[in-house]
Amino acid sequence: MANNLDDAQAELDSVEAELEMVEVQISELLEKQTKLNSRKNKLLQILEGACSSAQPSGSSKLSKPSFSKQDLQHYEESDFSWSKEVQAKLCSVFQLSKFRPLQRAAINLSMSGKDLFLVMPTGRGKSLCYQLPALCSNGFTLVIAPLVSLMEDQLMYLKSVNVPAVTLNASSTKEDSKRILAGMIDKNSPFKLLYVTPEKIAKSKLLMSKLEKAYNMGLLARIAVDEVHCCSQWGHDFRPDYKLLGILKRQLPKVPLVGLTATATSNVLKDCQKILCVQEPVTLTAPFNRPNLYYEVRFKDNEDCTDQIAQLIRERYKNQSGIVYVFSQKDAEVVATDLQKRNILAQPYHANMEPSDKSQVHQQWASKKIQVVVATVAFGMGIDKADVRFVIHHTISKSIENYYQESGRAGRDDGSADCIVFFGFGDIFRISTMVVMENTGQQKLQNMVAYCQNVDRCRRAMMAIHFDEVWNDEECNQMCDVCRHGNDYITMDITKYARDVVTIVEAASSVDEKLTPLKVCDAWLGKGPAKHRKMIKVTSLSRLEVESIIIHLLLHGYFSEDFSFTPYTTHFYLKLGRKAALLKNSNHSITMKMRRRVMSHTTVKKVSESPVEKSSAKVQGKRPADDKKSVAKKVKTLP
Ligand SMILES: Nc1ncnc2c1ncn2[C@@H]1O[C@H](COP(=O)(O)OP(=O)(O)OP(=O)(O)O)[C@@H](O)[C@H]1O
């Protein structure tokens, strides 16, 4: 019996050692894969001769592989029969002096009758790419937009520049609907743009039959599908009614279609192409980068960061407009009240408010009567205030795509603006339970958490991955906290700590007890109920260090999520992840990069200094932190 057990133990040790080797090989291969992919993209870019300001990306994957740099140049630069009129109306109607990157190509492609997907960062001027062609074409352009409020904002704007535009939606009166339906087949085209919701297309047979009639009369100039990523379940904002829009191309096959979005990966676009039944669209992708935005992540060292936010608003953003994004409607009310108590003109905005209250807050903010809107994600699409100088996230977003879109509401006027996210431990699990039913919700949240936890990669590089873009960190120009304070981290050996904290969860599970991440923290720090304390080694790490280590272990598979559902709520517990067993092997080690600012004096064994630190220390012969700081000061002084 003893021999058998010894054999089993020996075999277990050998299997574990082998598994560990496999893990190491997998991570090496994954690293190699990332490098090769990046190199592949670079080579493809060279081969495609992508120009520096814009690239017809995805064209090889989505549509005719033949849309080349030369084609793009042709549509950017050539003179077309409509060019004079387009240029004249750009100035006289829209009062703009010149096009932004890709606008001219998009307009020319659309005017040439091509189907087009236009991926352009939020606030760069996608609307112009269908509004200007609408003005220069016979008949009218059908615009599908997801929200009535968004359409109303557009109509208000178009009215201010004397462009005739109308909307048909659930709240249109009978007379309005009748007038508009008649206008669609009127040769004199009383309006140039007709905005409708996707529901209207799906539900109104009358509208569809009028569209067909207008099509046959040559009066339907083109179709614009705004926020086209809403078609795809893989997009960040799927709307079921968008799935039915394929009917448009099926019934009206010759009308050019333009799909517009700020955030869509090539897979999402492929899906949209299928759903919309578009055969061979050209895809134009403007660079995702917004060079005027400074990205920063700050740790919440307690759950309430309102004091810090108030200080920023009072000092750094005095008299400047901004948005504070929060997690819930309740948070919007509470944080707005807290800011008001600190003498800041702030108002809440969330989906549960009366429409009139919402539009009042919007108006007051647009006209600078209030400085800050404290909002849930309901404050989003259609917000077109140019001089937003800061977007602060009181709570992290649920994905990088969402964060990019929300933070992108800053600096639409191309002036510099800050995007700061406050990263709080407890928030991760609040959001995790909220997205529990979403297809890829946990993965996307993990990417967002990794973005926040990251201390050594350019923030833009982390975003670039989501937009299938190749990113050269130098282009960041120190416009993110990591590039600006590049040596502010140390690589630590956290193996011993990982073992300790894994033991806590293991011990709890052996007595059928589930621990939330907050309870694990408390237990490890020697707080909370005594029964937890008995079974663990209390740590001398600070709370922030403890939180960072737990997040690291969660992101790297040593812990995983264990959801428990009640009729009223979902709970997040920590359980051992697939890699936890590796910690039993005495040779296994885990390292993690940690910000110096997070670390207390008692912290864990340091493995090595950051590469930046090492090399700059060698070359400069002085304390690298000081050196880097002086560079940072030259660029921008932060409080
Ligand atoms: N060529 C241009 N020159 C200067 N400003 C422009 C130009 N084109 C558009 N704009 C301005 O940029 C702002 C944003 O435009 P628009 O609302 O079309 O952005 P968008 O890309 O649709 O953003 P979102 O993704 O948030 O919907 C508007 O104020 C618009 O007037």
Side-chain angles (χ1 to χ4, degrees):
M1 179 70 178
N3 266 353
N4 278 351
L5 288 181
D6 283 349
D7 287 350
Q9 184 59 53
E11 190 181 345
L12 177 64
D13 289 347
S14 126
V15 167
E16 277 177 349
E18 216 173 315
L19 275 172
E20 196 192 333
M21 282 301 294
V22 171
E23 284 287 338
V24 171
Q25 284 166 354
I26 290 173
S27 68
E28 279 171 4
L29 284 172
L30 285 173
E31 206 169 301
K32 193 166 174 190
Q33 186 188 37
T34 312
K35 280 189 190 148
L36 286 171
N37 270 333
S38 160
R39 184 69 196 142
K40 177 182 153 190
N41 286 340
K42 271 196 184 137
L43 292 169
L44 279 174
Q45 260 192 8
I46 292 167
L47 288 173
E48 282 174 9
C51 54
S52 58
S53 63
Q55 53 167 347
S57 88
S59 50
S60 57
K61 297 169 213 153
L62 288 162
S63 52
K64 275 188 185 170
S66 56
F67 195 81
S68 62
K69 182 195 167 191
Q70 283 72 29
D71 293 327
L72 179 65
Q73 210 168 358
H74 168 67
Y75 285 102
E76 275 284 7
E77 292 169 9
S78 302
D79 255 343
F80 295 89
S81 55
W82 52 80
S83 294
K84 275 208 176 76
E85 189 184 359
V86 164
Q87 187 64 42
K89 288 195 166 137
L90 175 76
C91 304
S92 65
V93 180
F94 293 95
Q95 285 162 27
L96 298 169
S97 54
K98 56 183 189 332
F99 287 109
R100 282 180 173 161
L102 287 192
Q103 282 182 326
R104 191 197 298 269
I107 288 168
N108 286 333
L109 275 159
S110 200
M111 291 292 290
S112 310
K114 299 263 187 290
D115 291 328
L116 171 71
F117 282 145
L118 180 59
V119 186
M120 204 181 247
T122 178
R124 296 310 292 162
K126 287 184 283 298
S127 322
L128 188 78
C129 300
Y130 62 82
Q131 288 169 349
L132 190 43
L135 273 193
C136 301
S137 308
N138 284 334
F140 67 96
T141 292
L142 177 75
V143 186
I144 323 282
L147 298 176
V148 174
S149 62
L150 195 149
M151 293 183 213
E152 281 169 356
D153 289 344
Q154 290 278 357
L155 289 191
M156 219 160 65
Y157 166 70
L158 290 168
K159 196 169 164 200
S160 75
V161 292
N162 289 323
V163 174
V166 290
T167 169
L168 256 185
N169 57 54
S171 52
S172 303
T173 62
K174 255 194 185 149
E175 292 76 59
D176 277 348
S177 302
K178 214 166 138 193
R179 185 175 50 82
I180 291 166
L181 289 166
M184 288 167 68
I185 48 170
D186 180 340
K187 287 199 180 98
N188 296 321
S189 299
F191 45 80
K192 298 308 285 179
L193 292 127
L194 166 60
Y195 283 79
V196 301
T197 53
E199 293 85 325
K200 199 80 194 164
I201 299 284
K203 290 191 187 126
S204 170
K205 283 204 181 112
L206 191 56
L207 173 63
M208 235 9 252
S209 82
K210 278 284 183 298
L211 280 173
E212 280 172 48
K213 208 160 177 190
Y215 171 74
N216 291 328
M217 292 170 74
L219 292 174
L220 179 56
R222 67 186 52 76
I223 299 170
V225 182
D226 204 6
E227 312 290 349
V228 71
H229 58 271
C230 295
C231 290
S232 169
Q233 308 207 44
W234 309 109
H236 60 87
D237 205 1
F238 172 59
R239 281 160 198 257
D241 282 311
Y242 265 74
K243 258 206 127 78
L244 307 172
L245 293 180
I247 189 173
L248 291 170
K249 267 287 181 182
R250 283 197 300 272
Q251 303 292 101
L252 320 161
K254 292 211 176 89
V255 183
L257 181 146
V258 49
L260 308 111
T261 177
T263 44
T265 61
S266 53
N267 282 339
V268 167
L269 283 185
K270 263 187 227 164
D271 204 23
C272 297
Q273 179 183 337
K274 224 163 55 196
I275 288 163
L276 292 173
C277 305
V278 182
Q279 297 296 322
E280 290 182 333
V282 172
T283 300
L284 291 184
T285 305
F288 82 102
N289 184 27
R290 303 270 311 272
N292 57 322
L293 300 188
Y294 175 74
Y295 294 100
E296 179 180 346
V297 177
R298 294 189 176 205
F299 286 98
K300 276 187 184 176
D301 43 16
N302 57 45
E303 281 309 307
D304 186 19
C305 53
T306 315
D307 271 333
Q308 272 194 67
I309 294 179
Q311 194 186 352
L312 279 169
I313 296 173
R314 272 198 312 257
E315 293 171 8
R316 205 196 290 182
Y317 310 118
K318 199 166 181 218
N319 300 325
Q320 296 179 338
S321 296
I323 306 173
V324 174
Y325 275 110
V326 293
F327 172 71
S328 64
Q329 297 179 359
K330 185 166 167 243
D331 287 358
E333 304 278 354
V334 171
V335 174
T337 310
D338 286 349
L339 291 179
Q340 287 162 5
K341 282 184 194 150
R342 290 162 174 85
N343 295 324
I344 291 168
L345 294 173
Q347 286 294 336
Y349 186 108
H350 54 73
N352 212 17
M353 283 164 52
E354 289 297 325
S356 59
D357 291 341
K358 282 200 255 185
S359 76
Q360 194 186 359
V361 172
H362 190 175
Q363 293 296 331
Q364 286 180 331
W365 181 67
S367 57
K368 292 205 158 193
K369 291 201 176 79
I370 59 171
Q371 187 186 2
V372 185
V373 180
V374 182
T376 62
V377 290
F379 191 64
M381 286 178 185
I383 303 299
D384 183 24
K385 184 167 162 63
D387 59 350
V388 177
R389 296 274 72 87
F390 62 94
V391 172
I392 297 177
H393 276 72
H394 177 271
T395 308
I396 60 170
S397 305
K398 65 178 187 168
S399 70
I400 290 191
E401 290 94 316
N402 283 71
Y403 182 62
Y404 177 77
Q405 187 117 356
E406 288 149 23
S407 58
R409 302 205 166 101
R412 281 169 169 247
D413 55 3
D414 297 336
S416 62
D418 293 343
C419 308
I420 302 176
V421 52
F422 280 83
F423 179 37
F425 185 68
D427 295 335
I428 302 172
F429 313 107
R430 288 210 287 170
I431 299 174
S432 184
T433 52
M434 179 181 86
V435 299
V436 74
M437 303 312 278
E438 292 178 20
N439 253 336
T440 49
Q442 299 303 323
Q443 187 50 52
K444 287 182 169 179
L445 175 61
Q446 283 208 1
N447 292 340
M448 182 69 208
V449 172
Y451 169 90
C452 294
Q453 176 96 336
N454 156 65
V455 294
D456 65 336
R457 291 194 67 190
C458 170
R459 303 253 178 239
R460 285 177 164 78
M462 301 205 67
M463 289 188 186
I465 295 168
H466 292 269
F467 303 112
D468 300 330
E469 279 206 33
V470 180
W471 178 250
N472 171 6
D473 291 5
E474 273 160 30
E475 288 176 49
C476 181
N477 206 16
Q478 303 217 352
M479 285 296 280
C480 80
D481 55 346
V482 175
C483 291
R484 194 169 289 182
H485 309 288
N487 55 357
D488 181 35
Y489 72 89
I490 288 177
T491 305
M492 315 295 308
D493 182 341
I494 59 160
T495 319
K496 169 174 150 339
Y497 294 92
R499 289 206 177 96
D500 288 351
V501 67
V502 160
T503 310
I504 299 174
V505 176
E506 213 169 27
S509 116
S510 70
V511 291
D512 271 345
E513 190 177 357
K514 291 186 174 200
L515 296 179
T516 62
L518 287 174
K519 275 204 178 140
V520 175
C521 274
D522 283 347
W524 200 13
L525 288 163
K527 296 174 183 155
K531 61 178 176 175
H532 297 137
R533 256 179 264 161
K534 261 190 274 164
M535 58 195 185
I536 59 145
K537 251 196 235 159
V538 170
T539 183
S540 57
L541 298 173
S542 71
R543 178 168 275 276
L544 269 185
E545 287 167 338
V546 159
E547 290 175 352
S548 280
I549 290 175
I550 292 176
I551 295 168
H552 186 85
L553 296 177
L554 190 55
L555 289 177
H556 290 84
Y558 294 90
F559 283 136
S560 75
E561 54 280 285
D562 182 9
F563 294 108
S564 151
F565 302 92
T566 73
Y568 308 104
T569 182
T570 307
H571 296 286
F572 185 114
Y573 297 108
L574 276 185
K575 67 176 180 190
L576 299 190
R578 69 199 150 81
K579 280 165 88 179
L582 291 176
L583 286 165
K584 300 242 183 297
N585 187 321
S586 59
N587 294 326
H588 187 74
S589 73
I590 310 176
T591 57
M592 119 174 230
K593 292 178 180 130
M594 206 183 273
R595 269 195 206 176
R596 284 175 208 269
R597 275 167 280 165
V598 166
M599 289 168 6
S600 66
H601 296 300
T602 54
T603 309
V604 271
K605 195 175 108 205
K606 184 166 108 176
V607 166
S608 71
E609 300 190 314
S610 63
V612 181
E613 185 178 357
K614 265 189 190 163
S615 57
S616 75
K618 228 187 206 167
V619 176
Q620 316 276 339
K622 56 181 169 180
R623 276 189 58 213
D626 295 343
D627 180 53
K628 195 78 185 178
K629 259 182 218 149
S630 66
V631 175
K633 266 189 197 146
K634 265 185 223 157
V635 180
K636 187 169 182 179
T637 317
L638 305 176

